[in-house]
Amino acid sequence: MDVLLSHSYFLGEDAHEQHVMKPYAPLGLLYVSAYLKRAGFAVAVQDTTFATRAAAHARLAAREAPVLGLYTNLTTRASVLDLTRQAKAHGFTVVLGGPESANWPEAYLSNGADAIVIGEGEVTMAELLPALARCGPHRLHDIAGIAFRDESGAFVHTPPRPLLTALDGVPWPDREAIDIDAYLTCWRTHHGAGSLNLICARGCPYKCRWCSHSVFGHHHARRSPADVADEVAYLIERWNPDMLWYADDVFTIHPRWLSEYGAELGRRGLKRPFECITRADRLTPAAVDVLREMGAFRIWIGSESGSQRVLDAMERGVSVAEVAQATAWLKAAGIAVGMFLMWGYDGETTADIEATVDFVRRTDPDIFLTTVAYPIKGTPYFDAVADRVTPPADWAAASDRDHHVAGRPGPRYYRHATRRLRQSVALARLRRDRPHALLPIARAWLGAEWSRWGMRWNDRPVDVARRP
């Protein structure tokens, strides 16, 4: 083997995902595997999703290849460093890729990695593997899109590599390299239906201040409708999933492409229920009709806040009214709506949170998920609050989610905000659907009020030095 690829995510160690149980195959890694195989490299893939850490260590001990390529993201820092240590102990050269290592290249190089791929991995890895065999890990100056340390120990960041534009020329993910049936079985066991993921495009051209663009920048490239439809046909014939997840950042970004893709699926008789993410300002009645005909059962919208002041501070480029209108269009078409919401963005006040509670209560999405804003290295949001950010004491054991931001309330405040949101929406639904259910109505009202007072009691800036 020329290279062993892995991603160091262990579902069995993720308490949250064990509750959700909706894992998806690591497409980025599988794209790199497919590209390298087509280029003539011998590639093995270690999918750790359903593996144990002991099994992952044992495979590294076998050292079936000279190079280990690891995908990195926000949630896997500790695992990546653990597998890096294990791999180095068995003589591997370790190459990291993905958004997390691109944001922290020097830190990862200081913790054992030999090279960091910054940007897309396919072409870079195809050039890097022969260079490693020829020159070793310290003379890689001619390889674009990487970071490494030269023979003197100096940090080297080579010029960026141009991003791919002709995506139809990129082979589909190497799903045969892993056990796709394990993902379908997991889904069917816990949810009664199996789902597979695919992407139609790469990158997002929007410039939300908290969002990381460390892999694709603000570049956006799309596959042709025919190429995506070919992949869908293959997935259905090979694995027959019950539904699909289009993992694009903004699935409906291009109205004409969406219309052409929907028509292509229709001509071929390809229809599977699916869900995807999009922006409210990229939905129209015509787009909603296409989504419905294609089989959309749920569309996720990044609402983030019900306060226009907060949305403007985020530079979301979308209005509260657009989110409300898009939600109404989708619900009228019989498509469920999911909303992503974010508390704690810089400058947010209790009044902004109350505006979000009121907004969600009025628009009534079928499901909504909340998170507290965390500054990701390399984003404008991180740069804006950098002088108020205290990183975790042990960088290697934490993630950017563990950054503490001075000047905003602590976790209890936001837990009460989430509870107030849930109880307020539940109260509105009870009053609408079960107006005579006095006891449940009273409980929901008390829950909402208790949380309102909880927010008030905890509405004070937290000094970073006093981590709550």
Side-chain angles (χ1 to χ4, degrees):
M1 289 292 168
D2 294 304
V3 62
L4 172 65
L5 301 176
S6 187
H7 59 104
S8 69
Y9 171 75
F10 297 90
L11 188 151
E13 298 178 2
D14 187 337
H16 174 73
E17 185 58 32
Q18 287 182 55
H19 175 71
V20 176
M21 294 304 279
K22 293 183 177 181
Y24 282 111
L27 290 186
L29 203 69
L30 301 183
Y31 267 111
V32 173
S33 176
Y35 189 93
L36 291 177
K37 285 181 177 179
R38 190 180 68 177
F41 294 93
V43 182
V45 177
Q46 179 186 35
D47 182 8
T48 56
T49 299
F50 300 104
T52 63
R53 189 171 294 274
H57 288 177
R59 187 161 183 182
L60 292 176
R63 197 178 181 273
E64 60 196 277
V67 177
L68 173 66
L70 280 176
Y71 175 80
T72 67
N73 64 29
L74 270 173
T75 66
T76 59
R77 180 184 295 172
S79 286
V80 166
L81 294 177
D82 171 57
L83 294 192
T84 296
R85 285 190 295 271
Q86 293 290 325
K88 295 299 292 182
H90 295 293
F92 279 92
T93 296
V94 177
V95 178
L96 306 183
E100 163 76 2
S101 54
N103 287 332
W104 296 95
E106 293 188 69
Y108 277 100
L109 290 171
S110 297
N111 278 272
D114 294 291
I116 311 296
V117 173
I118 300 175
E120 290 171 312
E122 291 93 342
V123 180
T124 302
M125 284 296 287
E127 292 185 9
L128 181 59
L129 291 175
L132 286 170
R134 186 175 61 251
C135 308
H138 304 299
R139 298 181 180 179
L140 303 171
H141 302 76
D142 293 334
I143 307 298
I146 65 169
F148 66 98
R149 292 194 185 278
D150 66 17
E151 291 172 305
S152 71
F155 177 75
V156 178
H157 193 312
T158 66
R161 180 177 297 278
L163 293 165
L164 296 171
T165 55
L167 296 187
D168 281 11
V170 179
W172 301 338
D174 185 15
R175 294 181 178 88
E176 298 290 351
I178 67 173
D179 186 1
I180 291 295
D181 287 322
Y183 288 88
L184 290 170
T185 298
C186 180
W187 270 82
R188 286 168 177 155
T189 299
H190 295 277
H191 306 288
S195 183
L196 292 183
N197 56 334
L198 72 158
I199 62 168
C200 309
R202 294 186 178 188
C204 176
Y206 296 96
K207 299 183 179 180
C208 306
R209 292 176 60 81
W210 41 263
C211 192
S212 177
H213 291 263
S214 59
V215 174
F216 301 111
H218 296 288
H219 173 78
H220 180 77
R222 298 200 71 82
R223 299 166 60 190
S224 70
D227 188 48
V228 181
D230 285 344
E231 186 178 2
V232 169
Y234 164 71
L235 294 177
I236 291 173
E237 180 181 359
R238 175 67 177 84
W239 287 288
N240 194 29
D242 304 291
M243 55 189 181
L244 299 172
W245 165 250
Y246 290 101
D248 297 28
D249 291 322
V250 187
F251 182 65
T252 68
I253 191 171
H254 197 302
R256 186 175 68 183
W257 183 95
L258 181 68
S259 178
E260 292 174 355
Y261 179 56
E264 185 72 21
L265 293 180
R267 279 193 295 272
R268 302 187 190 201
L270 297 172
K271 189 170 185 178
R272 277 293 189 277
F274 73 91
E275 58 183 325
C276 64
I277 301 173
T278 193
R279 288 170 54 97
D281 61 332
R282 305 311 298 168
L283 282 172
T284 63
V288 171
D289 287 342
V290 172
L291 293 168
R292 183 187 64 239
E293 290 300 315
M294 287 171 55
F297 69 89
R298 179 163 54 218
I299 304 297
W300 290 88
I301 297 175
S303 175
E304 312 309 346
S305 177
S307 165
Q308 190 62 51
R309 192 181 72 84
V310 173
L311 293 181
D312 292 343
M314 292 177 172
E315 296 186 10
R316 281 283 292 152
V318 68
S319 71
V320 172
E322 286 173 319
V323 178
Q325 180 63 81
T327 301
W329 285 333
L330 290 167
K331 293 178 71 172
I335 301 174
V337 177
M339 274 189 188
F340 295 116
L341 301 163
M342 181 182 291
W343 304 132
Y345 190 76
D346 202 34
E348 183 186 59
T349 66
T350 297
D352 295 315
I353 288 180
E354 288 297 337
T356 299
V357 171
D358 181 64
F359 174 75
V360 177
R361 186 168 53 223
R362 287 186 289 106
T363 55
D364 193 27
D366 298 87
I367 185 172
F368 49 89
L369 302 176
T370 63
T371 188
V372 178
Y374 47 89
I376 301 173
K377 182 78 179 302
T379 64
Y381 175 39
F382 182 95
D383 294 340
V385 299
D387 61 339
R388 293 187 281 121
V389 168
T390 296
D394 184 358
W395 178 88
S399 78
D400 286 3
R401 291 181 175 182
D402 300 305
H403 284 139
H404 294 271
V405 183
R408 73 181 186 189
R412 290 190 187 90
Y413 175 85
Y414 296 111
R415 286 197 290 270
H416 281 293
T418 297
R419 178 173 170 78
R420 173 154 175 74
L421 173 64
R422 292 174 179 166
Q423 292 294 319
S424 297
V425 171
L427 177 60
R429 290 172 177 171
L430 284 167
R431 285 172 169 168
R432 180 192 65 206
D433 301 331
R434 300 172 58 195
H436 302 298
L438 300 183
L439 185 57
I441 287 174
R443 286 174 176 166
W445 180 85
L446 285 171
E449 285 301 300
W450 171 256
S451 297
R452 182 169 69 85
W453 280 100
M455 289 173 62
R456 179 173 294 184
W457 292 329
N458 291 279
D459 186 11
R460 57 186 180 277
V462 172
D463 183 350
V464 210
R466 299 185 298 104
R467 295 179 181 173

